[in-house]
Amino acid sequence: MKTVSETRCFGGIQGVYSHTSEACACDMTFALFLPEEARSVPVPILWYLSGLTCTHENAMTKAGAQAWCAEAGVALCLPDTSPRGADVADDDAFDLGQGAGFYVNATEAPWAPHYRMWDYVTQELPALVGSEFAVDLDRQSIFGHSMGGHGALTVAMTLPDRFRSVSAFAPIANPTASDWGRKQFGAYLGSDESRWSAHDSTLLMRESGFPGPVLVDQGTNDQFLDLLKPETLAEAMAARRQEGQFRLQKGYDHSYFFMSSFMEDHVAFHAEALYA
């Protein structure tokens, strides 16, 4: 692992690090904020999965999470959204290829050699961060935005014993029934749609739900509502009587202005679970 940068931030350290990833067969970069408490004791960790076109940097600089994580005494890790590099398959469309890994393990050509983001965010990166930094992997929570909200919800419901809470901003809630999902799942996972359901948060909510609290925020002026299909997840949560909240925020869109407006709520929500 290499240190790209470390900067003093709200009493803690905002770092950026790179390493050679076995899962993705390329170099990967991630950001990690460590609050001041991490100087003396391992702290709980909150994972944030970003959306389409983003890298580790977008939420690090735009979401405003560090202040609230510093106040709560929680580490914040922000992985990249896909493998990258000259040898990594890509596509001219913004919603496929580099910047659009969808947090799955690709099985199809030309994506399979590098696009193993599920293994990266659930296995390789947690093991690396846990071995190199003062974080307590017995206290983890996860959240994300858009494609990353999809990732956070599906990861949490698939690995329920690992995470104490999960939240999402404007998640792609029903990708097996949306052009943001069917296109990517077909490319990465192949034409057998039975293999897609493990990566659809609405279907997972209907099937098993999550044993801890769930928080979802969705802007009513989101320009991508027809692609996100939030009503399907809300209906699934209600039918399952899932512990949590699905909140419609009047007038908000899909941007980082929306996320930063409610970031305090989300970090406090996770901190309560992490320190329970």
Side-chain angles (χ1 to χ4, degrees):
M1 191 186 73
K2 298 179 181 178
T3 299
V4 177
S5 65
E6 289 185 332
T7 306
R8 187 82 166 149
C9 180
F10 292 103
I13 296 293
Q14 177 61 66
V16 177
Y17 308 94
S18 66
H19 68 108
T20 299
S21 167
E22 292 186 9
C24 296
C26 65
D27 289 342
M28 296 290 288
T29 301
F30 66 94
L32 178 69
F33 172 74
L34 290 173
E36 187 173 13
E37 290 88 339
R39 294 181 178 185
S40 55
V41 295
V43 296
I45 185 165
L46 181 55
W47 302 92
Y48 180 90
L49 304 185
S50 293
L52 287 167
T53 76
C54 291
T55 69
H56 68 280
E57 187 175 20
N58 298 77
M60 181 182 76
T61 58
K62 295 180 180 180
Q66 293 93 335
W68 309 118
C69 287
E71 183 175 298
V74 172
L76 174 68
C77 188
L78 306 101
D80 202 348
T81 56
S82 77
R84 297 183 190 270
D87 296 331
V88 175
D90 200 7
D91 190 272
D92 290 338
F94 77 95
D95 58 356
L96 186 67
Q98 295 188 34
F102 261 76
Y103 306 102
V104 301
N105 285 341
T107 58
E108 307 301 303
W111 315 104
H114 298 284
Y115 283 76
R116 302 191 63 80
M117 289 301 294
W118 180 273
D119 284 353
Y120 181 70
V121 299
T122 65
Q123 299 178 27
E124 184 176 30
L125 186 58
L128 176 64
V129 171
S131 67
E132 296 289 336
F133 301 97
V135 299
D136 181 1
L137 294 183
D138 288 330
R139 293 182 290 168
Q140 300 184 59
S141 291
I142 190 168
F143 67 150
H145 169 238
S146 193
M147 178 183 73
H150 137 78
L153 289 165
T154 56
V155 166
M157 284 188 276
T158 303
L159 303 171
D161 294 335
R162 181 180 300 186
F163 301 100
R164 298 194 179 187
S165 53
V166 59
S167 72
F169 299 97
I172 301 173
N174 192 194
T176 61
S178 169
D179 286 344
W180 273 1
R182 295 188 62 83
K183 172 184 177 179
Q184 295 80 6
F185 291 173
Y188 297 145
L189 303 176
S191 59
D192 182 357
E193 296 188 17
S194 66
R195 299 166 59 192
W196 302 0
S197 59
H199 298 286
D200 187 308
S201 60
T202 292
L203 300 183
L204 290 171
M205 181 61 68
R206 291 172 183 167
E207 179 181 341
S208 59
F210 182 68
V214 177
L215 172 63
V216 179
D217 273 320
Q218 173 64 62
T220 62
N221 281 18
D222 194 313
Q223 58 271 44
F224 302 115
L225 279 174
D226 289 343
L227 291 165
L228 301 172
K229 299 187 178 298
E231 66 281 359
T232 61
L233 179 59
E235 291 165 0
M237 289 177 64
R240 175 158 285 281
R241 300 178 181 177
Q242 170 67 49
E243 175 191 2
Q245 299 180 69
F246 192 108
R247 310 190 306 188
L248 292 174
Q249 303 294 358
K250 185 177 180 179
Y252 285 90
D253 63 9
H254 200 70
S255 69
Y256 277 91
F257 296 113
F258 161 55
M259 277 186 285
S260 61
S261 297
F262 299 99
M263 185 59 70
E264 179 183 7
D265 290 358
H266 282 247
V267 174
F269 164 79
H270 291 297
E272 181 179 0
L274 289 167
Y275 277 102

